[in-house]
Every structure is written in C-alpha cells, then in structure tokens.
Amino acid sequence: MFSSEQTDVTSHSPLIQWILFQSNLADSSTPESRVPDIHSGISAFVEFVGEALTEMAAEEAYDNNIRKLSTFQNVDTIATDTGNHRQINIAQTTTANPVPSHKNAIIVSVKQFAHEQHKAYRYLVHRTRNLYATQPNRQFAWGLTVCGTIVRACLFVYDKVLSSKDINVSTHDGRSVFVKLLVSWSMCKNRQLGYDPTIRYSDLDNWEIDVYDSETQMTRLYVCESIRCNPHSTFGRHTRCFVAYEKPADSMSANNEDMPKVLIKDAWAQTLGPDGHVCDEVAYLREIRNTLADDHTLDNMYPRLHAGGVVQIKCSDGVVDDTTQYILMHIDTNTQAKVPARVHKRLVISPVGEPIHDLKSIDELIVVVGDVMAAHSAIVKRCGLLHRDLSDNNIMFCRNADGVKGMLIDFDNACRVTDVQNMEQPGCVGTLPFMSIGNLEHSKVKQTVLDDWESLVYILCWIGTFGINQADQDCGAVRDLPIQIWQTGSAADVATLKRQYMHEISYFVEYILDHIQKVQGYEELLKLLLHLHVGLFGNQRVSPSAQRCKKSLPSWAITMGISQPEVPTPSDTQFLDRDVDPAITDPFARRAEIAEALADELLEVTSKFRNEALDRIRNTK
C-alpha cells in the first residue's frame, strides 16, 4: 500500500507521514522536522477507514447496522507527561446520535516515541476514569495507545487493563490488524463497546433502569430522578447510586412527586471476598429484612430491600447473568483467568439516606452512631451477620420532623459470623483508614463484632479531627497530622501506628485527641471516644495489666469539662486466665474470647451518649 522506505515526511499527507515514521529508531533528540503530526495521522487513518465502511455499507444496504467512524480533538488542560496537550478521540456516531462527543468516543493516548508506552498507559487510565464518572450506563471501556507507529488496544475491566500486542502500522500486517479493529468497533453491538443495555436514556430525558428481582424472578422498571454517586476510579466495584421511583403502568397520568422514592445501588461485586467467602449482599439484605421486619424500633436503621439480584442480559441464547466472564467470553481462557471474577448486581432499597457529613452538629452524629450500632448489634445477634466494613461512607442518616436517625448501609463485605469463625486467617477487608488492627495485620485471631466496634472508634477519630461538616472543616490546619497516615500508608504501616496510638490512653490523647477540633460540641465526642477506648483497649477484663491513664488529660480537655473515664478493677473471677502472663499474651486474642460481653457494654455506652445527645438537641429547639 505504501513504501516502507525512509522518505522526507514533509512531502506526504499526514497519514503517510505517520506510517512511514520509524518511531522505534527515534527518541527525544530526533529533530522536530523529522517527527510527524501523529494526531493528524491517526485522524486521517480513522477517517479513511470510516469513509470506506460508509460507502460499502450503503452499497450493501445495511448502513443502519454500523457506526460512522470519525475523530475529534481538543486541548487537555490537565494532561501530564503528554508533551503535546492535544487530545484525540475516535467517535462512533449513528443516525440517532450523530454528533461526535465523549458519550460515543474511544479515548486515544498519543505519544511520539515507542519507548513512551508507560506514559501512554498512565494517561489513558486517567482519561478512562472520567468516562466511568460521567456515563451512568458505562460498564467497561476500550482505549488506544499510540506511541509513534506502535498501536495497542486496551480493555478496562474493573480490576485489570488488558492490552493487545503491538500493532505496528508501519507494516502491512500491522495496518491490516488496525483496520480490522476499527471495523469491529464500527459493527459490533453497543454491549460489546461497554454500554449497559439495562440502563437506557429515554425520550423523556431521563434514565430508565431495569432491576431484576431474584426472589420473584421478575424485572421492574425504575425512572432515575437523580444520580447520588458515580464511580471515581478506573478500578473496583464501580458503585453507582440512583434516586428513583418505580415507573407506573400509566406513566402519563402519574404524578412523579407522589411516587415513593428508593435508592438503586448498582455495583460489580466480587463473587468471592479476599478471604474466600461468598459475597451476596442481596441475600444478606433479604435475610435482615425478613428477620427484623416486625421490630419497629429498628425502622429506617438498616436498608430495607424491595428488589434485587444479578443483572440479566438478553442475548441470542436467551437471558444470561451479567458477569466478567460474559464480558470476556470471546477472549482466551488464560487471559480470563487473570481477571478476578465479578458479578453485576443491582438492588432497590429504602429509605434514601444522606451522608453523615451533612449532619448539623456533633450531637446529631452521636445520635446517628447510637442508632447505627443498635442496628449493627441486632443484625449480629439475630441474623448472624458481621458487617466488616464500617466507614464514614457506610453510615447514613434520615431526617424528619422528629430529628435524625442513623442507618447502616453497604453489606458487600458482610459475612456470616459462623463463616468468620471457621476462617484460618481472615482477609484484609474494609476501608483502609478504619480497619481494625487485626484486620490490617491479617491476624490469625478470629474476627469478631469488636473489629467493627474498633472501626467505629477510628471513624469518630477521623471525623473529630477533620470536622463533621463543611462548616467545621479546615483543611489548612490539619496537614501532616499522624492520623493522615491511616489513609496514605500501607496496611502494615497503619497497623503499626494504630497499635502505638491505642496502646494506652496517654498515647491516644497525645496522638489523636490532642488534634480533635476545638469547637463547641466536640467535647461530647471526646468523652465518647475516651469511653470507647477504655472499653476496647484499656479493659482490665482483657488484660490484668491494663492501667489507668498514665498521663493527665490536657488542660483544654479539663477546661471543656471532660473527665477521665473510670477503669473499674474487676474481681478475680472476671479475668480470663490468671495463669497467663499478660506481657506475652496477645490481648486481641483474649479480647475475642469475651467479644459478645464487651460489645454489649460498648452498646450501653453509645446508647447512653445517644440519649443524652438527643436530650440536648430537644432542649435547644
């Protein structure tokens, strides 16, 4: 098609200039006059293939089955390591969607030289993350890296980026492969481009969402009213949340304002957790609903499941579960085995909660925490389920005329208590800053309800340091604090620091409590944290060597009316084992032996603080 001899690039079209460029022999010292405009070369190649396809399709009368290929460029003002900040995208337009845009684009990452492949990947990952954040029906994504004349096709699938071998467009075989790739993208189904057919944009300018309920084996149709959250990462579960209502049969006569609102959670959950247990949030929520439905003291303190199951995809063979295996069905089995198995689940729950950072005061936070841990305790005792991922994002609240009520959400990492007890070494599960020490260390000590209580302490420390809401947050004043390592360090580093901070109350005061916000109301949070610390880490029922505070509370704490919590001295019969030397015995193992009793005591603490906070709120009205 084209001569492969080195030629003066200035005498040829952008397409020829590009494919004749010996990028593998060039580097940054190559004279600029010898480096072609790669962006224009790619555009010319894509336009050439697109026009040929359009002509062929018209002749064969199946133009409705192909997408027209074109390109569009713009300047990326936030690009890094690009050299040239121009950005190119391959658009796939149709009669129904004729305007090239990011909604129908495949992102291309362009570098001038073959040795810049790593930079090209990094930029492509950055750009692809934006697709997931802005497209509610985006499941997976394709991309291209172009380094000189070396092209690679990339497929983003939750935990991995799969990359093709080098496609060298300076050779006849390479150009042939690239043409086949473009033709495939033009003629394949929307599903194969990464779009979810069960989430559709309707003629009424809103998203309609199918939800399959595995209990009734029926599909319900919901209308999205607003999008609560989108994934902001290229990898992971890609959780999306939609505030929606069920579409009535007579949608024209219904008043949407009167329709009950629900939250639709859409996520790609791992079929097995890091510790090998089966993850099934839908089954867990169904069991919680059925078990606790008659206990109205817990109403709105846990998500009530209305429908849910694995997303169902219609195909030529009928209906199949939406899984990573289905997405990768045409890829070789060795490559499939390298991608962790995930299943696409969608569930409908109520009520629609608000994030805790929208609370108005610390007293409201204490009320919410009391509710959440009451629900947590009931779920552990009556349903036999351990949450295992308490975090600031998984504690929500609802507000009504009577005030606020806390709600515990997200049971993706939950596990049956009996399963946890049978695990030889539980996996590292949860949200890094809030994981318990044993969890971070992959401890052989069995996980118990106390690991979740420990997570609660870290959540309250975090909120106390950084503020409950925007009014209290002062990012400039909280830089370089010890607690920030909880988010940026490795699991081992975080565990080491937490052991240091929690070892005794004097260290807890020095490294954590000294940095709690000095704002009115936070003294109640300090009191709660001191009591929880004593119950979890300074409890003499766990270790006979547990001591009272070796260091007096700081003057600011005394000024705020905070006193040291009492550490009761237990009787001899309360010690677990008088013959065990506390200096060589793991206190976490000893603590796990009486986890249920300690959890009951901690629940009494949060309940007491909740009731006191509720009284203060009522008295200020």
Side-chain angles (χ1 to χ4, degrees):
M1 180 177 176
F2 300 104
S3 170
S4 61
E5 297 179 0
Q6 185 68 25
T7 310
D8 181 5
V9 296
T10 59
S11 61
H12 293 273
S13 69
L15 171 56
I16 299 177
Q17 292 177 35
W18 176 42
I19 65 176
L20 293 183
F21 177 49
Q22 299 296 310
S23 61
N24 60 319
L25 303 178
D27 56 30
S28 56
S29 64
T30 302
E32 189 173 341
S33 62
R34 304 294 297 180
V35 179
D37 182 350
I38 297 177
H39 294 82
S40 298
I42 301 167
S43 295
F45 197 111
V46 173
E47 299 283 354
F48 174 81
V49 174
E51 291 172 3
L53 272 174
T54 301
E55 293 177 5
M56 293 169 59
E59 293 175 2
E60 299 294 331
Y62 60 82
D63 55 320
N64 288 333
N65 296 326
I66 72 166
R67 302 170 192 84
K68 182 178 180 180
L69 297 176
S70 61
T71 60
F72 64 96
Q73 300 186 34
N74 59 289
V75 176
D76 186 358
T77 58
I78 59 174
T80 57
D81 297 324
T82 60
N84 188 332
H85 285 192
R86 290 166 60 195
Q87 174 195 324
I88 187 172
N89 305 277
I90 298 176
Q92 301 164 303
T93 57
T94 62
T95 303
N97 191 10
V99 181
S101 71
H102 292 285
K103 294 180 180 179
N104 52 35
I106 292 174
I107 296 172
V108 183
S109 179
V110 179
K111 301 296 175 185
Q112 292 179 326
F113 308 112
H115 67 270
E116 297 182 287
Q117 186 65 55
H118 179 72
K119 290 183 179 179
Y121 280 144
R122 185 164 55 188
Y123 179 67
L124 193 61
V125 169
H126 165 74
R127 292 291 306 168
T128 302
R129 179 179 60 189
N130 294 338
L131 288 184
Y132 292 121
T134 58
Q135 298 179 10
N137 61 337
R138 172 66 67 176
Q139 290 191 319
F140 59 91
W142 291 94
L144 278 181
T145 62
V146 180
C147 298
T149 57
I150 303 300
V151 176
R152 287 187 183 181
C154 299
L155 178 62
F156 290 78
V157 280
Y158 310 106
D159 298 283
K160 295 282 186 179
V161 180
L162 304 179
S163 177
S164 70
K165 295 180 179 179
D166 288 352
I167 304 171
N168 192 343
V169 295
S170 68
T171 68
H172 178 274
D173 289 345
R175 291 192 293 275
S176 177
V177 171
F178 191 28
V179 168
K180 290 178 181 178
L181 175 64
L182 294 174
V183 171
S184 297
W185 280 340
S186 175
M187 302 186 70
C188 69
K189 298 178 180 178
N190 276 345
R191 165 70 182 167
Q192 294 171 298
L193 290 173
Y195 298 105
D196 186 347
T198 65
I199 300 181
R200 303 167 299 277
Y201 201 70
S202 73
D203 295 336
L204 300 177
D205 293 332
N206 51 33
W207 292 98
E208 293 187 346
I209 305 169
D210 295 333
V211 179
Y212 176 75
D213 181 42
S214 56
E215 186 174 39
T216 63
Q217 297 186 357
M218 296 180 64
T219 297
R220 302 182 184 182
L221 179 60
Y222 290 83
V223 177
C224 173
E225 189 172 83
S226 64
I227 299 176
R228 179 60 62 86
C229 74
N230 268 316
H232 293 282
S233 173
T234 307
F235 306 107
R237 291 183 291 176
H238 287 182
T239 301
R240 292 181 171 91
C241 293
F242 308 89
V243 178
Y245 57 88
E246 189 166 10
K247 188 173 183 178
D250 185 8
S251 58
M252 298 302 294
S253 61
N255 185 352
N256 298 342
E257 296 296 326
D258 298 333
M259 302 298 295
K261 301 303 184 292
V262 295
L263 189 79
I264 298 177
K265 177 183 176 182
D266 180 281
W268 283 81
Q270 290 184 314
T271 55
L272 293 177
D275 41 24
H277 84 282
V278 177
C279 304
D280 194 346
E281 183 179 23
V282 174
Y284 295 155
L285 289 180
R286 190 170 287 140
E287 182 173 348
I288 292 169
R289 178 197 64 192
N290 294 342
T291 303
L292 305 181
D294 294 333
D295 188 346
H296 297 297
T297 63
L298 298 174
D299 284 352
N300 296 335
M301 291 162 59
Y302 60 88
R304 187 175 183 86
L305 182 72
H306 299 283
V310 178
V311 174
Q312 303 292 291
I313 300 295
K314 295 179 181 178
C315 63
S316 57
D317 297 328
V319 178
V320 298
D321 289 348
D322 198 12
T323 64
T324 48
Q325 291 91 332
Y326 177 64
I327 291 174
L328 302 174
M329 61 187 296
H330 297 299
I331 295 179
D332 65 274
T333 54
N334 289 333
T335 302
Q336 286 187 40
K338 297 177 182 178
V339 179
R342 288 185 180 269
V343 60
H344 188 188
K345 293 188 178 181
R346 192 172 292 155
L347 50 92
V348 180
I349 56 178
S350 69
V352 178
E354 303 294 331
I356 57 173
H357 293 291
D358 286 343
L359 289 167
K360 296 178 180 179
S361 67
I362 288 296
D363 276 338
E364 286 193 343
L365 172 65
I366 294 173
V367 170
V368 165
V369 165
D371 291 339
V372 163
M373 298 316 293
H376 180 275
S377 177
I379 291 169
V380 171
K381 291 183 176 181
R382 296 163 61 181
C383 304
L385 295 172
L386 197 59
H387 189 279
R388 303 203 305 165
D389 189 15
L390 262 67
S391 73
D392 57 344
N393 289 327
N394 292 339
I395 296 176
M396 309 287 281
F397 75 93
C398 297
R399 187 183 298 277
N400 55 34
D402 297 326
V404 295
K405 179 167 282 192
M407 178 171 62
L408 180 62
I409 67 165
D410 194 351
F411 287 77
D412 266 341
N413 288 312
C415 189
R416 297 193 182 282
V417 173
T418 51
D419 291 342
V420 174
Q421 292 171 347
N422 294 328
M423 293 177 187
E424 287 189 10
Q425 189 169 356
C428 194
V429 177
T431 305
L432 182 64
F434 314 119
M435 288 182 184
S436 68
I437 294 171
N439 193 359
L440 289 164
E441 293 178 338
H442 293 274
S443 171
K444 292 185 178 180
V445 175
K446 305 300 182 184
Q447 284 185 359
T448 70
V449 64
L450 296 182
D451 288 272
D452 282 352
W453 277 98
E454 191 178 330
S455 292
L456 175 67
V457 170
Y458 301 138
I459 295 167
L460 296 179
C461 291
W462 192 268
I463 292 174
T465 302
F466 297 104
I468 180 60
N469 51 40
Q470 192 65 39
D472 294 346
Q473 291 170 357
D474 182 3
C475 295
V478 292
R479 293 176 183 171
D480 301 324
L481 292 179
I483 197 174
Q484 289 187 307
I485 301 298
W486 294 2
Q487 187 172 49
T488 60
S490 66
D493 290 340
V494 175
T496 299
L497 287 174
K498 284 182 175 179
R499 275 189 178 271
Q500 178 183 353
Y501 301 162
M502 301 295 162
H503 173 63
E504 62 180 48
I505 199 168
S506 60
Y507 295 131
F508 185 51
V509 169
E510 179 179 354
Y511 291 106
I512 302 298
L513 298 191
D514 272 352
H515 302 288
I516 296 292
Q517 298 263 331
K518 307 303 188 295
V519 179
Q520 184 176 4
Y522 280 76
E523 67 275 9
E524 299 301 331
L525 180 60
L526 281 163
K527 294 176 186 177
L528 175 57
L529 279 169
L530 284 168
H531 281 80
L532 292 176
H533 182 275
V534 167
L536 275 169
F537 299 98
N539 197 310
Q540 293 195 32
R541 293 179 62 192
V542 172
S543 172
S545 65
Q547 302 176 21
R548 295 191 59 173
C549 183
K550 297 179 180 179
K551 172 183 173 183
S552 298
L553 293 179
S555 58
W556 57 260
I558 297 173
T559 302
M560 297 173 77
I562 300 173
S563 59
Q564 294 178 174
E566 292 295 326
V567 182
T569 302
S571 64
D572 289 348
T573 57
Q574 286 181 304
F575 291 135
L576 294 179
D577 189 345
R578 294 284 298 180
D579 298 324
V580 174
D581 183 353
I584 61 174
T585 300
D586 184 354
F588 291 99
R590 292 167 66 86
R591 191 177 75 176
E593 295 178 31
I594 55 170
E596 185 175 349
L598 293 181
D600 288 342
E601 294 174 4
L602 293 169
L603 183 61
E604 289 180 7
V605 170
T606 54
S607 298
K608 173 179 176 293
F609 273 81
R610 176 199 180 276
N611 293 335
E612 292 173 353
L614 194 58
D615 288 340
R616 287 192 296 271
I617 293 172
R618 289 169 177 168
N619 291 336
T620 58
K621 290 184 177 180

